[in-house]
Structures are given as C-alpha cells and as structure tokens.
Amino acid sequence: MSLERALALAGGHAGRGYPNPTVGAVVVGTNGSVVGEGISEPAGGPHAEVVALDAAGEAARGGTLFVTMEPCAHHGRTPPCAERIIEAGVGRVVAGCADPNPDAQGGAPRLRDAGVDVELLDLPAARRQNEAWRTWVARGRPHVMLKLAVSVDGRVAVPERRWVTGEESRRRVHELRASVDAVAVGMGTVRADAPRLDVREAPVVRQPRRLAFGGGPLPDGSELELRSGALRDELAALAAEGVQSLLLEGGPTLATAFLADSLVDRLLVFVAPVVAGDGPPMTGPLPEPLDLGVPELERVGDDVLLGWRLQEV
Ligand code: AOF
Ligand code: ZN
C-alpha cells in the first residue's frame, strides 16, 4: 500500500525536518504505478508533497497523493502544499493524520473545496512518527517521556547493587537519550549519582541538553544545566528554545511532580527480575491513583519493558 511506503520513507529519516515534522509522500499515477516520492527537506526546504509532485511532473494529473500528514494550507517558510496539489491536478489525497499546527492546518478542507477527493485518516503509526513535534506545536511544551527502572516490588534502588536493570536495558536508555532534545534528573539523583546523562553506548547525531530540575545548588564540576523555576514555566521556556522532546531519568521526587501535574506523555518502566525488599519506591504519594490502561510489552534482556502513552496528540 502506498501510504505504507510514505510512512517507511519518513520513518527512515526521523528528525530530518527538525524543528519541523518529517513527512513522507508518494504520488501514484492514473495507471497505478508510483510516479514520485518525497521526504521533508530540513526546515525551510520543500515539504514532502512538493518533492514528490516535482518528481512526478505531469504524471501527477488525475493521480493520487499518499502523504503521512495532512498537507499544509499556509504560507510559512514555503508556499502552501494544498495549492500546489490543486495546480498539479491531483484527483485524490490520502493523508495518514491531521496536522495539529494551528498555523499550517486546514489543507484537507481547502482541497475538498477545490474538488479533490480527500481521505483524512487518523493512524497512530502516522502520528507517532512526529509525536514529540505534535505535543510541542499543540501544547507549547516538550513531549515528556518518563523512564523508570524498578525491581518487581517497584523500588528504584536495590540494596548492595549498583544497577537495578540489566545491561541491555541500560543500552536501550542510551538509545532513548540519543532520540531526544534534552534529558533531565532531579536534585536527589544529582546528589546521589552525579549522572553525566550523555549518550555513550549508542550512535548519536546530536547530544541532548542535560538538565537538573530543582533548587540546586549543583555540586562542583557538574555539567548539568540547573532549571529552578516552576515545572510548567521551565517546560514552556525549554519549548521556546526548541526542545521538543524531554526524557526524565529520575528520581522519585521528579517522577511524582511530573505525574501529579499530568505532564508525562509517555511512561516507560523497565522491570528487573529482583525483589529488592527495601529501598525507595518509584513515586511518592500521588493525588489519586493513575489508571494507565493496557501496556505495550517487550522483553529487554532479562528485564521487561512496559510502555504507555498517556496523552497522545
Ligand atoms: C514540513 N515538511 O513535509 C510538511 C510540513 O514553515 P513551513 O512553510 O516549512 O511550514 C511548516 C509547517 O508545514 C509544519 O509545521 C507542518 O505543520 C506543515 N507540513 N512541514 O516542514 C513537510 N508536510
Ligand atoms: Zn506543506
């Protein structure tokens, strides 16, 4: 299916459009064959739809455009894709999800007005390709991923053990760090572990910013950035600086503050096969129990990874 091809094109180039989304597009001609493909150029460059239509030329006339997100209707750094699609004479557009950007959205109704047949889908696979950007653009704060590593009895430290989870889980955490714009811990973790928070055990294009939330002061020699304001203010400030995704790595005080304020978008819990019997629990008291719903499940080495999306855009 051509929408799957468009998803594969964008999926293979995550982050390419930053700070814009990364979109994939495929044009299928009237004879049913692919006549053009495109991926978002880095921000300021042509959108995926335009790249695909340029490649297709006259063969787009009467054809179908498959695109992972609704075409834009606005003049931003580039002209509106909706107008370009109309000019190209495309008969049908199939889009994987709506555009949550209030400045750019509206391509679907514009195309319908011009007589183009539009199928606007709502596929989680399409939305998740740009999930951090969607939260950032729709809510004005970074997408927040809270990672916890716990024993079976929910403790974040195990007596006489350096690590709670196994080596593969820890490598996975480095991959998570490599995928975000910033990583943060609370002051308790700064004092207890003096974490570096950089990516060392996974390939990385851009090291994330490394933050500590709390009152400080930071210990001598710490390279973390101290963010001492109210959480929502700090998140808004980070968003304004282009931080679209934030990974929280501990500890219980920070986790509790973010969960209590409904500021966690994705919760990842690595559970290690050990009963600690003693040690700090993963959160302090919450205003009320948090219903998480059905988890995504994965085995990571000897550990189990549980994942939830708590508020998808
Ligand atoms: C992209 N690439 O392939 C698509 C985008 O400032 P502009 O003109 O580049 O517009 C950016 C907005 O256009 C972006 O936030 C999103 O809403 C929409 N679609 N953007 O950079 C693309 N299809
Ligand atoms: Zn566009």
Side-chain angles (χ1 to χ4, degrees):
M1 220 268 268
S2 301
L3 191 56
E4 277 161 19
R5 173 68 187 151
L7 286 166
L9 287 171
H13 293 81
R16 184 177 206 233
Y18 177 88
N20 280 357
T22 299
V23 174
V26 172
V27 182
V28 173
T30 47
N31 67 358
S33 60
V34 171
V35 292
E37 293 187 337
I39 306 168
S40 312
E41 291 291 336
H47 293 182
E49 299 91 318
V50 171
V51 176
L53 288 171
D54 280 347
E58 270 308 300
R61 201 156 292 279
T64 301
L65 169 71
F66 293 88
V67 59
T68 56
M69 189 174 82
E70 178 187 12
C72 68
H74 86 317
H75 259 283
R77 279 165 282 208
T78 67
C81 290
E83 303 308 322
R84 177 63 205 281
I85 293 164
I86 295 162
E87 270 165 42
V90 169
R92 180 170 168 245
V93 171
V94 180
C97 60
D99 183 344
N101 181 356
D103 295 332
Q105 64 191 190
R110 172 69 193 108
L111 290 163
R112 285 190 186 117
D113 279 352
V116 179
D117 176 15
V118 178
E119 223 178 300
L120 181 55
L121 306 172
D122 184 31
L123 303 179
R127 280 190 276 110
R128 288 174 189 172
Q129 287 193 332
N130 291 298
E131 71 179 335
W133 172 81
R134 295 177 74 86
T135 296
W136 179 75
V137 79
R139 301 187 188 226
R141 65 165 174 80
H143 178 270
V144 176
M145 195 153 49
L146 170 60
K147 172 238 111 183
L148 298 166
V150 301
S151 62
V152 168
D153 50 338
R155 300 175 194 268
V156 293
V158 177
E160 288 166 40
R161 258 169 78 155
R162 168 128 192 256
W163 304 107
V164 179
T165 50
E167 204 178 308
E168 288 187 41
S169 294
R170 299 198 311 269
R171 192 175 326 116
R172 182 66 80 85
V173 171
H174 279 253
E175 289 168 13
L176 290 172
R177 287 181 185 174
S179 75
V180 296
D181 299 325
V183 181
V185 292
M187 284 309 298
T189 303
V190 171
R191 285 186 206 105
D193 298 348
R196 285 170 46 186
L197 299 181
D198 55 343
V199 182
R200 300 184 299 278
E201 286 163 40
V204 62
V205 179
R206 198 161 39 110
Q207 285 284 349
R209 279 170 65 170
R210 296 167 295 149
L211 318 173
F213 284 106
L218 288 171
D220 285 348
S222 172
E223 290 180 4
L224 306 183
E225 270 176 64
L226 185 64
R227 313 286 309 208
S228 298
L231 284 188
R232 280 179 194 274
D233 296 346
E234 292 293 359
L235 291 181
L238 288 165
E241 293 164 18
V243 175
Q244 297 185 345
S245 50
L246 173 65
L247 173 66
L248 301 179
E249 285 205 39
T253 310
L254 192 71
T256 307
F258 273 81
L259 286 169
D261 256 1
S262 302
L263 288 172
V264 177
D265 298 294
R266 190 161 180 211
L267 175 62
L268 293 173
V269 183
F270 291 87
V271 184
V274 57
V275 178
D278 194 8
M282 61 185 233
T283 72
L286 289 170
E288 55 192 50
L290 198 62
D291 255 320
L292 300 172
V294 181
E296 284 179 8
L297 265 179
E298 193 187 332
R299 296 184 74 127
V300 182
D302 293 341
D303 303 331
V304 176
L305 172 58
L306 302 170
W308 294 269
R309 286 185 173 80
L310 303 181
Q311 35 190 344
E312 270 190 278
V313 175

